[in-house]
Amino acid sequence: MSSDGADGAAARTDSEWEAVFWDIGGVILGLESVQGAHAEFVAQLCDRYDLETTVEEAVETWRTTVGDYFRERDGTEFRSAREGYHRAVAAIVGEEVPREEWEPLFEEIVAASIEPVPGAVEAIERLAERDLHVGVVSDVDDAEGKRMLERFGVRERFDSITTSEEVGYTKPDPAMFETAIEKAGVAPERSLMIGDRYDHDVKGADESGLHGVAFGAEDGPAVSYRIESPEEILEIVDGTRDG
């Protein structure tokens, strides 16, 4: 269905949009705040276990371990971020650490540190007032993703939440988008998917029949719309913007 902005608008002139789907990381959740939360957690980990390493070195170990863990997965098969964090804690401390010893601290720091992308909460709240399905399609662990949405006060604004843990695969696997569309009971060609990664969010949505909305993602033929602020999605939904 690949199209530029003008073609994307033309494709839906017969009716209004029926659904808007959001990615979480980088679209609702500010990624810099996540990185800051993880760094703070690692710093407290070093202090708790009196480790003979600098915080900078420990943070690098965290990032490398988590990154390697995700790179080991088979294609789009889901891998739990929590397991990646568990391995990273062990790599930093030098031995296995029971989850009950580190998870409460991790969750406390994340809850206190994460911030939404400016304008995202306001856009979600205003979309929820429209007569359309508002959903999430995200590669997060199910519980973690829902906690983030609760932290920002928008979980109840969504009509559906589709996560990779639930589906068993990550974007751009078609199963992610097909599951979301099935939950919503809408036509994919009358649906928008907002994402910050071209191949995973925008192209993946396009290949499943949805219109890709790039927020920070690179340009490409799968981009029906590009927005610079989450609130611009309202202009698309309300028909005041052509592309």
Side-chain angles (χ1 to χ4, degrees):
M1 184 205 64
S2 298
S3 60
D4 58 22
D7 290 341
R12 61 97 193 168
T13 53
D14 291 339
S15 67
E16 297 299 322
W17 297 111
E18 296 181 343
V20 177
F21 297 100
W22 296 71
D23 184 25
I24 293 181
V27 180
I28 299 174
L29 171 67
L31 295 181
E32 289 186 2
S33 70
V34 176
Q35 295 167 356
H38 289 184
E40 174 61 23
F41 168 70
V42 170
Q44 293 203 30
L45 204 64
C46 291
D47 184 61
R48 173 182 288 188
Y49 291 94
D50 194 23
L51 301 178
E52 295 182 0
T53 183
T54 67
V55 172
E56 291 75 14
E57 290 171 340
V59 168
E60 183 59 31
T61 297
W62 172 275
R63 292 174 178 168
T64 300
T65 304
V66 172
D68 289 346
Y69 165 74
F70 282 116
R71 281 188 288 272
E72 291 169 1
R73 75 177 161 211
D74 183 14
T76 59
E77 181 184 22
F78 169 74
R79 297 199 104 188
S80 170
R82 268 299 193 272
E83 177 58 28
Y85 303 155
H86 187 62
R87 293 188 184 190
V89 169
I92 292 170
V93 176
E95 63 183 18
E96 186 86 2
V97 179
R99 293 178 185 272
E100 59 268 23
E101 288 189 14
W102 67 265
E103 281 192 336
L105 176 63
F106 178 83
E107 292 174 2
E108 177 185 347
I109 292 173
V110 168
S113 304
I114 58 173
E115 297 289 344
V117 170
V121 169
E122 294 79 3
I124 292 165
E125 290 177 340
R126 291 173 63 187
L127 275 182
E129 298 171 355
R130 270 90 168 153
D131 184 21
L132 79 166
H133 186 98
V134 184
V136 163
V137 183
S138 178
D139 289 340
V140 294
D141 291 19
D142 195 77
E144 185 174 22
K146 290 173 180 176
R147 275 196 297 269
M148 291 175 180
L149 298 177
E150 287 175 351
R151 169 69 178 81
F152 300 148
V154 295
R155 178 177 175 180
E156 298 305 318
R157 299 293 190 179
F158 289 102
D159 299 299
S160 68
I161 298 173
T162 300
T163 65
S164 288
E165 181 170 16
E166 170 197 357
V167 178
Y169 296 95
T170 63
K171 293 172 290 182
D173 196 288
M176 287 292 290
F177 302 102
E178 291 168 0
T179 300
I181 287 294
E182 183 177 356
K183 287 181 181 180
V186 300
E189 64 271 15
R190 293 178 182 172
S191 304
L192 299 161
M193 174 68 206
I194 313 169
D196 67 323
R197 295 182 298 172
Y198 181 81
D199 288 334
H200 290 74
D201 303 319
V202 181
K203 185 179 177 183
D206 178 84
E207 291 177 346
S208 293
L210 294 79
H211 287 263
V213 181
F215 176 62
E218 64 186 69
D219 284 318
V223 176
S224 290
Y225 295 92
R226 169 169 291 282
I227 59 176
E228 301 301 323
S229 165
E231 292 176 298
E232 292 178 32
I233 193 65
L234 298 164
E235 300 174 3
I236 299 172
V237 168
D238 293 341
T240 60
R241 174 171 169 175
D242 292 332

